[in-house]
Amino acid sequence: MDGFYDDEPPRIEEIKSSFNIFELKQKLREPGSNHPYCIQLQTYGYFYWLQNQVLPELTFHLVSTRKTDVEDLPLQLNISLYEDWLNRRLDELVEEARRSEKRTLRRQKVASNFTFPFENPRPGQKELISTIEEGMASKDRMWIQAPTGLGKTAGVLFPVLKEALSRGQRVVYVTPKNSQHSVAEDAVIRFQKSGSAVKALTITAKSKICFKNEPLCNPEYCEYAKDHYTKVAEHSLVEVMARKKNLTHKVFKKLGEEYEVCPFELQMEAAPEVDTVICDYNYAFAPQGIVSRLSANGMGQTGKPNLVVDEAHNLPSRGMDYYSPALSSVVLDKMREEIRELPIRFRGEAEEILDDCIEAIIACCPDIPTDSKNGSGKNRSSKIEPQVEPFLEQDLKLRTFMSRYLDSDVEIKPRDVILRISFYWSEFTDALEYIRDPSRTEFFTTFSPHPSGGTVKIVCCDASKMLQSCYNDYDQVVGFSATLKPFEYYSQLSGLESETVRFEEFQSPFQKLNRKVLIIPQISTKYSERERNYSKIADAVRRIADLRRGNYFVFFPSFDFLGRVLDCFHAPEGFTILRQGRDMKRSEVENFLDHLKSEVA
């Protein structure tokens, strides 16, 4: 309880803060409201009544986070109605506990019969599995370097998953890119084909799976968010999902459309039912991650889930990116034309807020001395100590405006400009707490001038402290990559102290005699020399492919480089060219990979 007043009758008070307390008040006053806040306060009152047989008065004290507004709202406690709700909820909890116990027993049974899916593992793969098993037995966190072709994914996931299942737990498998999810999915399918009844779920980002133009989880805006949990319970969708072996975005979208529920939230509710959750780094390591929802425990489980970090060499840079937001006056100014297309009642105020945002950024520009000899200095980025308050004030204005904007009858279209500005700005202001803390030496702020303004950027040069706490949600942690040396460098920047990590390295299973390395001195791929080498590279690829029929991959450091070489390339007769596109949709990537698999087969 936030407050108890020993009056006649006694009074229990619960304090709640909200951006818009009048909107919250309206929700709490709805007849028969089962709002979580109402249930919480009524529960306090019910406990008091049980102990003292005196019915207390219940009061909400609502406090605005944007100004000094406060409101008091009384709440009635009807013992009979509350006990009806309580009995229903207790029945649900009993059923959840039974399902959790059943799930734990199923996992332990799977672990007892869990076998590696290949009769003849590749050289080094057996040693990899044995090493991980030894490390887990001694509770060591492991950082493993193993070359491409060893079979790292299956070799790592097998022992980590088996150990987790034996405790009734599951594995969270994270990758730096969504396109790499399929590798882990394929490994799970291999386990299933070999007779193991393991289940897997792949999480798709909210922006990519949402049915609406903008992923706003507001029941008044989104019919899929409205009564979501009620509809899930009525149609027993958790049980439906629990019966499936592999849960992908297609499954969640189909169920979401059929029952008009949120497909992203369905993923979260299905997560406890599966044995492997495959997702992007940000779900485990980003500031607004949902790791707590992925690592929640159930009945009969021992310890915590296990974590597998694929392509672990990417984690330090990704971690720094999570904590390095930027605001550009140029980016904001480009949104001006879209603002001028808003309904007239919002247009003027929105443009005024935009001007204030741009002004707050430009005000960070320092007085940079110019080198009189070459005029340099004006275009250089420089370290600054920005005033925090102007950014927070603008954030408050944007939130207030966005609240009224969303409450209106305006149709929210894809990439809505008001939402983009608000989220763009709030991502930056959320990170301001780090530069306000003088002990945070791993952060600094820069200003990069531009002829029409500039960019202010919070730079995180070491995210290890923030990443460190993320590992606490897991029992075993195994990170692996083909390029993970020096080990101490990558482990420390990933938030793991070197003395607490076991480092292991494995050699390629392929004989060096079978590897042909060609160096063509007449060709350069230097950036400054590419223009005159595009046709030479294209000709070299054509001549090599023409020597022996087969399948060839050609890798480029950028899409522009790829396109320029391809413009000069003439494939030998009988060859088909497949080209990876920039910003390919998930379905296009899947079709691309399926085509490659069919051609290889």
Side-chain angles (χ1 to χ4, degrees):
M1 298 181 294
D2 289 329
F4 178 76
Y5 299 86
D6 194 9
D7 301 330
E8 289 292 339
R11 181 162 59 92
I12 297 174
E13 183 178 78
E14 179 66 17
I15 302 171
K16 294 296 179 187
S17 61
S18 174
F19 185 71
N20 186 334
I21 63 170
F22 301 105
E23 180 181 291
L24 177 59
K25 182 179 178 180
Q26 184 178 353
K27 291 179 180 178
L28 298 177
R29 292 178 66 177
E30 289 178 0
S33 175
N34 271 345
H35 192 286
Y37 291 172
C38 294
I39 296 296
Q40 178 188 4
L41 183 51
Q42 288 172 337
T43 300
Y44 296 152
Y46 182 71
F47 286 167
Y48 186 87
W49 177 82
L50 278 179
Q51 188 173 24
N52 301 285
Q53 293 300 301
V54 175
L55 199 64
E57 290 184 349
L58 307 179
T59 306
F60 282 114
H61 186 64
L62 308 180
V63 182
S64 172
T65 58
R66 60 176 172 171
K67 41 190 175 180
T68 58
D69 292 338
V70 294
E71 284 275 335
D72 287 319
L73 177 66
L75 180 69
Q76 290 295 119
L77 172 60
N78 183 308
I79 298 297
S80 176
L81 291 177
Y82 176 82
E83 288 185 335
D84 286 344
W85 172 86
L86 181 61
N87 288 327
R88 288 196 305 273
R89 184 63 190 126
L90 290 174
D91 287 343
E92 291 169 355
L93 288 171
V94 169
E95 184 56 37
E96 288 172 19
R98 285 174 178 158
R99 192 165 62 242
S100 179
E101 284 184 318
K102 185 178 178 181
R103 184 168 58 238
T104 298
L105 292 172
R106 180 190 65 79
R107 286 175 178 165
Q108 292 171 337
K109 183 178 178 181
V110 171
S112 64
N113 299 304
F114 198 34
T115 57
F116 194 63
F118 302 103
E119 291 184 9
N120 300 306
R122 290 178 180 172
Q125 208 171 34
K126 274 187 176 180
E127 290 78 6
L128 172 65
I129 294 170
S130 297
T131 299
I132 293 175
E133 288 174 340
E134 290 173 9
M136 289 190 297
S138 56
K139 301 294 183 181
D140 291 331
R141 288 171 173 172
M142 285 170 278
W143 239 226
I144 294 172
Q145 177 170 294
T148 300
L150 181 70
K152 296 189 295 294
T153 303
V156 170
L157 185 55
F158 171 71
V160 177
L161 181 54
K162 185 174 183 177
E163 193 280 336
L165 291 172
S166 70
R167 297 183 286 108
Q169 281 289 358
R170 61 186 183 278
V171 169
V172 176
Y173 187 109
V174 296
T175 72
K177 295 179 181 177
N178 288 338
S179 57
Q180 290 171 287
H181 290 172
S182 60
V183 181
E185 291 170 351
D186 288 344
V188 173
I189 291 172
R190 295 275 189 182
F191 298 149
Q192 293 169 345
K193 287 182 177 179
S194 66
S196 297
V198 293
K199 300 178 181 181
L201 179 156
T202 301
I203 294 181
T204 302
K206 184 181 291 187
S207 60
K208 294 182 179 179
I209 202 171
C210 183
F211 294 127
K212 304 294 286 185
N213 291 331
E214 287 289 346
L216 290 171
C217 299
N218 184 333
E220 295 179 9
Y221 164 71
C222 177
E223 63 272 27
Y224 300 96
K226 187 175 182 180
D227 299 323
H228 167 87
Y229 298 105
T230 301
K231 288 181 278 191
V232 167
E234 287 177 349
H235 299 291
S236 302
L237 295 186
V238 173
E239 290 83 348
V240 171
M241 294 184 291
R243 290 194 290 269
K244 297 183 181 294
K245 284 186 177 181
N246 296 299
L247 292 167
T248 63
H249 70 290
K250 293 179 180 178
V251 174
F252 297 116
K253 286 196 126 180
K254 181 180 179 181
L255 290 174
E257 288 175 337
E258 184 176 352
Y259 297 101
E260 207 171 75
V261 292
C262 173
F264 181 80
E265 282 300 318
L266 278 181
Q267 296 179 125
M268 299 301 102
E269 290 170 86
E273 303 297 329
V274 301
D275 308 314
T276 305
V277 178
I278 303 165
C279 56
D280 189 79
Y281 278 178
N282 60 286
Y283 290 101
F285 295 108
Q288 306 298 327
I290 56 172
V291 66
S292 59
R293 300 183 68 179
L294 299 181
S295 57
N297 274 347
M299 296 289 292
Q301 294 178 342
T302 305
K304 302 174 184 178
N306 290 344
L307 175 68
V308 174
V309 184
D310 193 357
E311 299 292 337
H313 68 279
N314 287 292
L315 184 54
S317 60
R318 280 290 294 272
M320 288 185 278
D321 287 343
Y322 292 143
Y323 296 91
S324 299
L327 287 174
S328 168
S329 64
V330 179
V331 170
L332 289 172
D333 199 47
K334 287 180 179 178
M335 299 182 188
R336 194 176 299 277
E337 288 302 314
E338 294 177 75
I339 284 178
R340 289 172 179 167
E341 295 176 3
L342 291 173
I344 193 167
R345 66 183 186 277
F346 293 116
R347 195 180 307 158
E349 186 179 355
E351 194 160 5
E352 183 180 325
I353 292 174
L354 182 71
D355 289 336
D356 290 342
C357 289
I358 292 173
E359 187 178 327
I361 295 172
I362 295 174
C364 293
C365 182
D367 294 326
I368 304 172
T370 304
D371 189 324
S372 58
K373 292 183 180 180
N374 55 25
S376 64
K378 290 185 177 180
N379 297 318
R380 282 195 314 226
S381 296
S382 51
K383 187 177 177 181
I384 62 171
E385 299 290 340
Q387 293 293 318
V388 172
E389 290 307 318
F391 291 96
L392 296 178
E393 289 174 8
Q394 284 305 118
D395 188 55
L396 183 58
K397 288 182 183 178
L398 277 166
R399 288 174 184 270
T400 305
F401 180 73
M402 185 175 69
S403 180
R404 286 191 286 107
Y405 180 74
L406 292 175
D407 284 342
S408 71
D409 57 357
V410 172
E411 180 185 357
I412 306 298
K413 297 180 179 179
R415 292 185 54 76
D416 182 90
V417 65
I418 298 301
L419 299 186
R420 285 197 349 259
I421 294 174
S422 299
F423 297 153
Y424 182 53
W425 197 270
S426 65
E427 182 185 25
F428 184 87
T429 54
D430 287 346
L432 286 175
E433 63 177 286
Y434 300 112
I435 65 170
R436 298 177 81 174
D437 184 352
S439 66
R440 293 280 195 179
T441 56
E442 64 271 35
F443 287 90
F444 63 92
T445 310
T446 64
F447 185 87
S448 302
H450 185 274
S452 59
T455 299
V456 59
K457 180 178 178 66
I458 296 173
V459 180
C460 174
C461 52
D462 180 3
S464 59
K465 288 183 180 178
M466 283 70 75
L467 297 176
Q468 191 174 39
S469 61
C470 298
Y471 299 109
N472 296 334
D473 292 293
Y474 304 97
D475 259 18
Q476 311 279 3
V477 177
V478 179
F480 69 96
S481 171
T483 53
L484 204 49
K485 295 180 74 174
F487 283 128
E488 291 79 5
Y489 170 83
Y490 281 109
S491 66
Q492 288 180 17
L493 286 182
S494 299
L496 294 171
E497 296 296 331
S498 299
E499 55 270 20
T500 65
V501 183
R502 178 172 176 169
F503 302 123
E504 297 288 347
E505 181 178 2
F506 295 85
Q507 301 304 314
S508 174
F510 304 114
Q511 296 183 18
K512 289 186 178 181
L513 292 173
N514 296 336
R515 183 192 310 162
K516 190 175 189 69
V517 179
L518 298 177
I519 298 175
I520 307 176
Q522 296 86 354
I523 295 177
S524 172
T525 57
K526 284 184 178 179
Y527 185 81
S528 58
E529 299 176 9
R530 284 180 185 175
E531 191 67 40
R532 58 178 178 270
N533 279 278
Y534 291 135
S535 59
K536 295 180 182 179
I537 295 170
D539 183 60
V541 173
R542 182 193 60 78
R543 292 169 63 187
I544 291 170
D546 204 23
L547 288 172
R548 184 171 180 175
R549 312 304 279 183
N551 299 318
Y552 292 85
F553 275 102
V554 185
F555 296 94
F556 296 89
S558 70
F559 284 104
D560 181 63
F561 196 165
L562 182 155
R564 297 295 293 275
V565 172
L566 191 57
D567 289 342
C568 307
F569 182 69
H570 300 287
E573 186 177 350
F575 274 80
T576 299
I577 299 174
L578 296 177
R579 172 183 178 173
Q580 181 188 2
R582 190 191 298 268
D583 299 325
M584 292 177 74
K585 295 179 180 178
R586 185 187 180 100
S587 58
E588 293 173 328
V589 172
E590 290 177 350
N591 291 336
F592 191 91
L593 294 174
D594 287 343
H595 184 76
L596 289 177
K597 290 175 185 176
S598 65
E599 289 296 307
V600 171

